[in-house]
Amino acid sequence: MIYYHLSYTNALSNFLTIRITIPDNKEQELYLQLPAWRPGRYELQNFAQKLGKVSATVNGEAVSVNKITKDKWVLKHAAAGPVEVVYNFYARQMDAGGSWLDEQQLYLNPINCLMAVEGREEEPCQLQLALPDSYEIACGLEQPEKFTLQAPDYHVLVDSPLIASASLQHSKYEVNGLPFYIWFQGECTPDWLRIKADFEAFTKEQLELFGDFPVSEYHFLNQILPYRYYHGVEHANSTVITLGPAELLMSWGLYKEFVGVSSHELFHTWNIKKIRPVEMLPYDYTQENYFRTGYIAEGITTYYGDYLLARSGFFTAAQYFEELNTTLQRYFADYSRLNLSVADSSFDLWLDGYKAGIPDRKVSIYVKGALTALLLDLQLRQATNNRATLDQVLVRLWNDFGKQNTGYSDQDYERLVDEVAGTSFKAYFEHYIYGTTPIEAALAEALPFVGCTLQKTESQLLTEQLYGFKTVADGTAVKVTAIAPDSPGSQVLSVDDELIALNGRKLEQNLQPLLSTTDTAAPVAITFFRDKHLRKVHLQPNGQTYYSKYSIEKRTEATEQEQENFKLWLKQDFFN
């Protein structure tokens, strides 16, 4: 067994002292590896930058520790006896994937800071925490005694976040005899009856879909913060959710986000934690794990996270459409959809998936992945008259791959879709997964099957609609933030231009008030600063419109059969 011990002397310093004890080492050269990334965020985060000096003893005698990569160390001449390795870790990152230490709590994602003993990752591990006696621990690991956690191997250890505090609030509900624990850290007042009823409803819906659950218990670990925040990360039998502001937790605006992210993260218990791309089974924490199926791991999960809230009755159809339409607005907010496929964008997560990047380069695997999942679900239903659905594809993924601890490939997924459909869906994959064919026409064709339609409206902002550029006013300047390709704006404006006047009139906030009273058929003059130099250009519409808005709505003329299809899809009556 490998032993880990965490302690601290001054919580306000945010520094933890970590001691690793290897009592039965037999290796002459002992290698220690810290992860470079964490599952759930597919980019190198290089956690080693938060470690202090690493030292070691063998049989009580100090030995040298040599760093051989950015996050790997070697102890030479280590076989003389028990080995202890000691180092500091700076725990001051409050998000769902970080760690935090202060006078009120210890919040830890072990993957941030616990080194693996190379070659012994499959051995049991024990984590001991030196904490104030008043603290309790929220964690998915077994707790054989107070402040002691046990894991069957290193992989489970680092996939088991914890919150330790004297002020934890918690409750429990059960579905199909399985316990689900909800923990809150932060100054909030949960409405437990409402929360447990809503959580039980979406949990039942997810269990009904898959038939069984991958783990014997589950923990929702919630950091409720005093400021606006939203983030969630999945783990094998738990999730960490950071959300705020705390005083608005039970208000509808934040509460629906809380329930939504909880449903999303619970769905990941199947989809990515067990139903995993072949490239990530097992995880290699030392380097990029490139994969092209983020549209399954994250896209399908994003679709189902909200979709199952409608099926469970948490969302009305109207509320669910609000969420879908928000996703549509995000998708059509720029022109990246024309340039890089969702499969290629998945591969490039490791490059720039979590930053803005250059204009219009890539799509979000969450957003386009969700929309392509919706499209596939509707196309399956339409092609088979409701005999096949995306549910059935997911159940096949679970039974054929997740339960077998076998990774799937993109070809496996395509094959399962074809088998469930009883016909080829090659065109779907070529156009919308591996290609950049616009999705609007396909959605417009599929939605009437469930009595719905895709509505297009033009942007109310004339700068966007007619001239193809977006602005933001920060109180001191009106700045150009985005420009549509081949639009009138693209010929004369650049991102970060500071607009100051329209047709000689000073801009107070944005261009809309002045444009709304201007003859836009004629050229307009815009004066602006670029790199501290005053410029003036003329703009004229070219007959095209830009930054259009799309929404999904019910069709008032839907037939009885389409209304029935709607009910089979959402488990709600069409006219509710």
Side-chain angles (χ1 to χ4, degrees), residues 254-327:
L254 190 59
Y255 183 66
K256 72 180 178 69
E257 298 297 326
F258 169 55
V259 176
V261 69
S262 299
S263 175
H264 177 107
E265 300 304 339
L266 181 64
F267 196 87
H268 270 314
T269 314
W270 292 275
N271 191 26
I272 196 58
K273 298 313 299 181
K274 292 297 290 184
I275 304 170
R276 199 182 301 175
V278 66
E279 297 91 343
M280 293 188 181
L281 198 65
Y283 291 125
D284 181 350
Y285 301 122
T286 68
Q287 61 183 357
E288 297 92 339
N289 292 202
Y290 293 105
F291 70 122
R292 297 187 183 275
T293 50
Y295 58 92
I296 302 172
E298 292 295 352
I300 287 180
T301 301
T302 300
Y303 170 55
Y304 270 87
D306 286 336
Y307 173 42
L308 292 175
L309 292 182
R311 281 171 38 170
S312 70
F314 176 77
F315 281 145
T316 65
Q319 290 167 337
Y320 174 55
F321 282 3
E322 286 181 10
E323 301 303 312
L324 268 183
N325 292 337
T326 297
T327 302

Side-chain angles (χ1 to χ4, degrees), residues 32 80 464:
L32 300 167
E464 296 182 7

Side-chain angles (χ1 to χ4, degrees), residues 492-529:
V492 293
L493 294 175
S494 181
V495 171
D496 290 334
D497 284 349
E498 297 181 18
L499 312 185
I500 60 173
L502 174 73
N503 290 336
R505 284 283 304 276
K506 179 183 178 182
L507 299 178
E508 299 297 339
Q509 291 185 329
N510 57 50
L511 284 78
Q512 186 67 14
L514 293 179
L515 279 174
S516 63
T517 58
T518 299
D519 178 11
T520 54
V524 297
I526 295 182
T527 308
F528 60 92
F529 283 106

Side-chain angles (χ1 to χ4, degrees), residues 129-149:
L129 303 164
L131 297 168
D133 193 60
S134 59
Y135 277 26
E136 64 177 322
I137 298 176
C139 184
L141 288 176
E142 176 189 352
Q143 299 186 45
E145 57 186 82
K146 189 172 183 178
F147 301 156
T148 298
L149 303 170

Side-chain angles (χ1 to χ4, degrees), residues 11 35 43 132 156 173 179 187 231 243 276 326 385 439 487 524 563:
E43 68 174 355
V156 174
Y173 66 96
E187 297 178 356
H231 190 209
L243 199 69
R276 199 182 301 175
T326 297
N385 196 26
I439 200 172
S487 65
V524 297
Q563 293 172 33

Side-chain angles (χ1 to χ4, degrees), residues 388-409:
T389 70
L390 189 52
D391 282 11
Q392 295 167 21
V393 177
L394 289 169
V395 171
R396 286 289 305 275
L397 279 170
W398 171 229
N399 289 329
D400 295 2
F401 294 93
K403 284 185 177 180
Q404 310 307 319
N405 201 34
T406 301
Y408 68 86
S409 66

Side-chain angles (χ1 to χ4, degrees), residues 230-252:
Y230 175 93
H231 190 209
V233 175
E234 69 275 7
H235 298 277
N237 73 340
S238 65
T239 177
V240 175
I241 293 166
T242 47
L243 199 69
E247 64 271 16
L248 298 181
L249 174 63
M250 299 310 302
S251 67
W252 174 248

